[in-house]
Amino acid sequence: MIIKFLGTSAGWPLPRLGCKCTICSSKDPKDTRGRTQILIDGRVLLDAGPETYHHLKNEDIAKLEAILISHEHPDHILGLWDLPHIYGRKETGLNNINLYVTQPVLNGIRKIFQRDFGPIKPIVVSENQTFAIGNAKVTYIPVIHGNTPAYAIKYKETSALRSSTSSAGLKDGKIFTYITDFNRILPSSQTQIRHSHVIALDGSSLGKIGQGPGHISIKDGIIIGKNLKAKEVYFVHIGHKTDTHKRLERYLEEEAGPKFHIAFDGLELKL
Ligand SMILES: [Zn+2]
Ligand SMILES: [Zn+2]
């Protein structure tokens, strides 16, 4: 599985135009961030924030099969506007793609876009019910994000068993869980997320400063990541009130150990 972090900022991109803070005046390309978005194996897109169109410019767009959405907030869905003008059209020769969403998220999307997405077909799936996208098993697991229905997205790779002739000849592969915006995970949901190979976690603030009511901080995330027994944790949704990539990495090295990292735009992980 190849996980590519296309965007890693919180609700607004970094640097902020006009701001002179340490992050916004940094020369390190890792401190330039678009809205949080991930591409798995070039074919499954997690979230569709405002930079979606620009993020896809550098990808093989013909490979994209599906879009998954964590929740209805604008920083996770505004890019849906552009996709019906790329997919399922004669000019591009590209196929339709599927938008897998839970009903509450689709209702939220409909509040912003009072229209159909044409070639982007919404397929409503239930929370906690695993469905297949090609060789992957995907589950939307509910998490608490203020009053907004929000989900962790668990993505488990499977592959055919070499010597098996039975119909159940599938071997479980690596598990990646994306939990971008949340302030709490109920114990029943924690059980489903535990022992993922990689978890992407909400890094909207470092501590209490700048922490929104619907979000954890990176400090909280260290405890949560350890509790969820992930092999590796990458923080995404990095907010303006945090620090430079370099300093945040140093902070994690000292406070959390080698399993914890700060993602940056363009980072690719091979599982
Ligand atoms: Zn967000
Ligand atoms: Zn949100």
Side-chain angles (χ1 to χ4, degrees):
M1 188 188 327
I2 296 172
I3 299 162
K4 185 165 182 187
F5 296 81
L6 300 179
T8 54
S9 87
W12 290 271
L14 293 169
R16 290 281 201 284
L17 296 180
C19 179
K20 308 263 186 311
C21 80
T22 340
I23 297 178
C24 295
S25 49
S26 164
K27 297 274 182 291
D28 185 349
K30 291 177 183 168
D31 290 316
T32 294
R33 302 176 187 272
R35 262 56 66 96
T36 291
Q37 181 169 47
I38 285 173
L39 184 63
I40 302 178
D41 290 335
R43 60 190 197 92
V44 179
L45 201 54
L46 307 189
D47 278 336
E51 280 86 26
T52 300
Y53 190 93
H54 298 283
H55 286 163
L56 290 177
K57 275 184 179 169
N58 305 317
E59 304 304 325
D60 178 3
I61 53 169
K63 271 179 79 181
L64 194 69
E65 289 170 33
I67 306 173
L68 305 171
I69 304 284
S70 63
H71 66 298
E72 69 188 61
H73 284 159
D75 52 323
H76 299 265
I77 68 164
L78 285 186
L80 289 173
W81 175 255
D82 297 322
L83 298 178
H85 279 252
I86 307 172
Y87 290 95
R89 295 182 80 94
K90 267 204 199 109
E91 306 97 284
T92 61
L94 295 173
N95 291 331
N96 295 355
I97 48 177
N98 293 329
L99 173 67
Y100 294 93
V101 278
T102 63
Q103 191 62 54
V105 170
L106 185 60
N107 296 346
I109 292 172
R110 292 268 184 255
K111 278 187 253 159
I112 294 186
F113 300 106
Q114 289 102 21
R115 47 164 284 177
D116 245 16
F117 290 115
I120 314 291
K121 298 270 176 266
I123 296 176
V124 175
V125 293
S126 304
E127 61 183 42
N128 293 324
Q129 229 167 66
T130 300
F131 57 96
I133 301 178
N135 67 339
K137 289 179 182 173
V138 181
T139 319
Y140 279 110
I141 301 162
V143 294
I144 315 285
H145 178 37
N147 296 323
T148 306
Y151 301 90
I153 301 173
K154 182 176 172 182
Y155 189 97
K156 188 198 252 184
E157 211 177 33
T158 58
S159 55
L161 281 175
R162 247 180 246 148
S163 58
S164 174
T165 47
S166 76
S167 58
L170 283 176
K171 180 175 82 150
D172 282 346
K174 299 285 165 70
I175 301 172
F176 170 62
T177 308
Y178 171 70
I179 331 174
T180 175
D181 292 33
F182 73 101
N183 55 290
R184 236 180 106 206
I185 308 174
L186 295 174
S188 54
S189 293
Q190 287 177 27
T191 313
Q192 300 196 63
I193 296 165
R194 202 156 279 142
H195 300 296
S196 298
H197 293 85
V198 174
I199 290 183
L201 277 187
D202 189 338
S204 301
S205 69
L206 181 53
K208 290 273 170 255
I209 298 167
Q211 187 176 359
H215 295 274
I216 60 156
S217 66
I218 291 174
K219 279 185 184 167
D220 300 331
I222 295 171
I223 299 163
I224 294 166
K226 286 183 177 168
N227 181 32
L228 291 174
K229 303 197 187 309
K231 291 200 168 50
E232 279 184 296
V233 174
Y234 282 80
F235 286 96
V236 292
H237 211 266
I238 306 299
H240 193 193
K241 295 283 191 297
T242 53
D243 210 334
T244 59
H245 180 271
K246 209 175 191 168
R247 280 157 61 159
L248 288 175
E249 273 287 328
R250 202 175 305 142
Y251 174 84
L252 288 179
E253 201 182 308
E254 284 163 12
E255 301 294 323
K259 291 178 178 178
F260 288 77
H261 294 282
I262 302 290
F264 55 87
D265 291 21
L267 169 67
E268 254 186 48
L269 301 179
K270 289 188 181 68
L271 301 197

